[in-house]
Amino acid sequence: MYTIGCQMNELDSELALAALDEDGIRPVESAAEADVLLVNTCSVREKAEEKAYSWLGRMKALKRVNPDLIIGVLGCMAQKEGELIFRRAPYVDIVAGTAHFTRVDDYVRQVRATGKRILAIGRDEQVQTEKRLKARATPQSSFVAVMRGCDHHCTYCVVPNTRGMEQSRELEEIVEECRILVGEGTQEITLLGQNIDSYGKRLRPRRRSLAELLYAVADVPGLKRLRFVTSHPSDLRPELFQAFKDLPNLMPYLHFPAQSGSNEVLKRMRRGYTHERYLELVAAARDAVPDIGLAGDTIVGFCGETEEDFERTIELHEKTRYQASFIFMYSERDFTPAKDQGLIDDVPFDVKKRRINHLIHLQRQWSTEENLKKIGKVYEVFGEGPSKRNPGRQEGRSPQNQVVIVESGRDLAGKCYSVRIDRATDAALYGTLE
Ligand code: SAH
Ligand code: SF4
Ligand code: F3S
């Protein structure tokens, strides 16, 4: 299984693997050993789709050697491209969209029995995407989807097309799933939703809110750390800040994308807030939770973005001082409001490139400055185990979700320990075990 895309996709891959596990189909080390090859795809930027197609291109050779090999494409690009994938890559056997990936075990069986390819991208069927089964990749830390889809119409974004309208899961069902996970050894849960602040708004007979959900999940005995992503500045409710104050296991971290700092661009993106409003919310969050870690997403080079617009984005970054920031060049997508309404992708590639490099450069300086202020402080770290590049080092996360690295030969995965910070870069904190 090769997973491209966001955390929701990582979770979906786990759920698909769990379904296959019931049929005795288990992950193997390399593609060459596999009987079933799957890619879980993303459509958010053109590059993500190119990645999937180039992976498919490489897998084609394996199919020539082993004609029984089954190749499947799951997720957002499967949903968006459908039939087109068979045309571009005729050796693909399964195309299963965002409501069908947990049926992949059935599809594999059908392909084996009939030799016919399968296209499953209908939206009408309700499928149980969350049947939580055994095989979990990282038992100490788990994702739980609380909703799927999105009701916003941010003009650049393909997600409402690939994942459909927002559908929240029942609160009790989510809490039960969290209880089971903690019972199996999970210590940290990250609740996932494309626009998690609007959780529960359509549930009946009673609407629910994200705050209500957080109080209920935080109460699961044995849960050490609770997180949630992603927040939308137009839907964030102040009662959330109270939840951070009340719940010791709710971690002080907010993924809070601004996308742009220019009011003109924000309007064209249809984000529903202004530069000023965004900064007000940041101030309110910091007021309520002074040590909160803020992460943002920013798109540079959106349709019609001028140098002045870009300056406003720089200003917003400078004032917000994100702990982490994900910056992207605008990538025009089919089936987005921008494309449908004829907004023109008119910022030349080299201008986008210059702007992104400039902003990344500045952001690195600001992140370094902020991180240097943390030297001498002690953080409670949740261990993720040895660093991939250097096994003599242990990596973990601070409550604010920052990477914290210590020199230690002991495997600290799943452990909580205190670290005094003595060094920092833009991307990580380094320290010694207390
Ligand atoms: N639901 C989340 C994230 C959606 S996609 C949210 O609302 O914030 C993740 C990020 O990809 C977005 O926050 C945005 O910054 C970026 N993105 C989305 N569409 C894009 C596009 N067409 N081009 C470049 N970046 C895009
Ligand atoms: Fe896309 Fe906007 Fe929905 Fe996020 S809130 S998934 S950016 S439409
Ligand atoms: Fe996620 Fe990409 Fe789909 S960001 S929702 S996998 S388009």
Side-chain angles (χ1 to χ4, degrees):
M1 170 81 75
Y2 172 42
T3 306
I4 304 168
C6 61
Q7 292 165 315
M8 189 73 88
N9 258 21
E10 284 178 41
L11 168 64
D12 290 352
S13 290
E14 255 183 59
L15 295 172
L17 284 174
L20 289 165
D21 188 77
E22 289 201 327
D23 272 12
I25 300 174
R26 312 253 145 80
V28 286
E29 285 293 311
S30 71
E33 300 166 53
D35 306 318
V36 181
L37 284 169
L38 300 171
V39 57
N40 194 5
T41 57
C42 172
S43 290
V44 87
R45 282 170 290 277
E46 194 177 354
K47 265 211 186 115
E49 294 197 345
E50 282 167 4
K51 248 187 184 170
Y53 276 116
S54 85
W55 181 86
L56 284 171
R58 275 176 286 152
M59 297 308 122
K60 186 179 172 184
L62 295 175
K63 182 114 178 181
R64 231 178 276 133
V65 183
N66 172 12
D68 293 333
L69 183 66
I70 294 177
I71 299 183
V73 182
L74 314 181
C76 288
M77 189 181 91
Q79 188 69 44
K80 167 172 163 282
E81 302 276 279
E83 186 73 44
L84 213 68
I85 295 175
F86 292 135
R87 258 180 273 154
R88 280 185 65 175
Y91 45 91
V92 167
D93 304 286
I94 300 166
V95 171
T98 47
H100 301 270
F101 57 91
T102 51
R103 294 239 183 101
V104 65
D105 50 338
D106 293 342
Y107 303 146
V108 167
R109 246 179 280 126
Q110 284 174 42
V111 173
R112 280 189 177 148
T114 66
K116 287 202 189 111
R117 47 161 77 137
I118 288 175
L119 178 68
I121 54 170
R123 285 197 196 282
D124 40 323
E125 287 169 86
Q126 275 287 347
V127 284
Q128 167 70 336
T129 46
E130 311 299 337
K131 57 171 176 181
R132 179 68 75 161
L133 308 150
K134 283 153 280 158
R136 305 303 319 278
T138 48
Q140 67 194 30
S141 182
S142 299
F143 292 131
V144 172
V146 306
M147 63 206 291
R148 284 169 186 279
C150 180
D151 284 354
H152 277 279
H153 299 93
C154 305
T155 49
Y156 52 81
C157 184
V158 78
V159 172
N161 173 276
T162 62
R163 293 211 174 246
M165 300 255 296
E166 178 186 309
Q167 275 185 311
S168 294
R169 295 172 65 201
E170 292 295 336
L171 186 140
E172 291 73 17
E173 184 188 309
I174 296 167
V175 174
E176 187 50 28
E177 182 176 341
C178 295
R179 220 182 273 286
I180 294 172
L181 287 168
V182 173
E184 284 171 359
T186 284
Q187 303 185 54
E188 177 181 59
I189 288 179
T190 303
L191 303 177
L192 301 181
Q194 291 299 339
N195 175 26
I196 201 161
D197 303 278
S198 78
Y199 169 76
K201 71 168 191 235
R202 257 196 245 120
L203 286 176
R204 295 291 175 270
R206 190 149 81 75
R207 331 167 35 124
R208 305 283 197 160
S209 70
L210 174 62
E212 225 178 321
L213 177 69
L214 292 173
Y215 281 94
V217 174
D219 219 23
V220 170
L223 178 62
K224 285 212 181 101
R225 290 189 164 192
L226 176 61
R227 303 182 185 281
F228 63 93
V229 288
T230 299
S231 284
H232 191 298
S234 297
D235 294 323
L236 186 95
R237 308 250 290 272
E239 67 198 59
L240 210 62
F241 300 142
Q242 192 57 42
F244 280 113
K245 288 188 198 167
D246 291 343
L247 303 171
N249 56 356
L250 180 61
M251 293 294 111
Y253 174 74
L254 204 57
H255 186 189
F256 196 52
Q259 310 297 1
S260 170
S262 151
N263 287 337
E264 298 308 313
V265 173
L266 286 168
K267 215 181 281 164
R268 272 201 297 282
M269 288 178 163
R270 248 203 263 158
R271 289 289 287 179
Y273 54 86
T274 59
H275 180 117
E276 295 72 25
R277 174 75 187 139
Y278 183 83
L279 292 180
E280 264 169 43
L281 288 164
V282 166
R286 292 216 159 107
D287 204 33
V289 192
D291 63 343
I292 199 160
L294 289 179
D297 294 355
T298 301
I299 298 175
V300 302
F302 185 61
C303 310
E305 187 188 73
T306 62
E307 280 307 316
E308 290 75 47
D309 291 324
F310 178 58
E311 288 294 325
R312 296 286 286 156
T313 298
I314 294 178
E315 196 185 305
L316 184 132
H317 272 246
E318 186 172 15
K319 289 186 176 145
T320 306
R321 296 239 155 190
Y322 292 108
Q323 172 187 290
S325 134
F326 306 97
I327 307 170
F328 311 103
M329 283 189 282
Y330 175 56
S331 164
E332 185 182 54
R333 313 307 297 132
D334 285 340
F335 312 114
T336 57
K339 185 82 188 251
D340 295 346
Q341 291 157 18
L343 284 177
I344 299 161
D345 179 16
D346 53 0
V347 178
F349 181 80
D350 50 329
V351 175
K352 287 181 184 169
K353 194 86 207 155
R354 176 168 51 72
R355 289 183 189 163
I356 194 172
N357 287 340
H358 185 51
L359 188 55
I360 288 174
H361 176 75
L362 290 172
Q363 182 56 48
R364 282 212 177 117
Q365 285 180 354
W366 294 322
S367 297
T368 309
E369 278 172 35
E370 290 303 308
N371 285 346
L372 288 173
K373 291 182 192 161
K374 294 168 187 161
I375 288 176
K377 289 196 176 153
V378 176
Y379 287 94
E380 191 66 19
V381 174
F382 181 62
E384 293 181 342
S387 138
K388 279 195 194 85
R389 266 174 287 160
N390 182 345
R393 282 179 172 175
Q394 293 290 314
E395 289 191 0
R397 298 270 173 173
S398 72
Q400 291 77 9
N401 209 28
Q402 270 195 297
V403 175
V404 180
I405 298 170
V406 294
E407 303 280 338
S408 171
R410 258 174 65 208
D411 187 355
L412 297 172
K415 304 253 185 321
C416 276
Y417 46 92
S418 298
V419 176
R420 183 175 298 278
I421 305 307
D422 45 38
R423 195 158 67 81
T425 64
D426 65 306
L429 305 175
Y430 296 78
T432 39
L433 282 171
E434 282 274 284

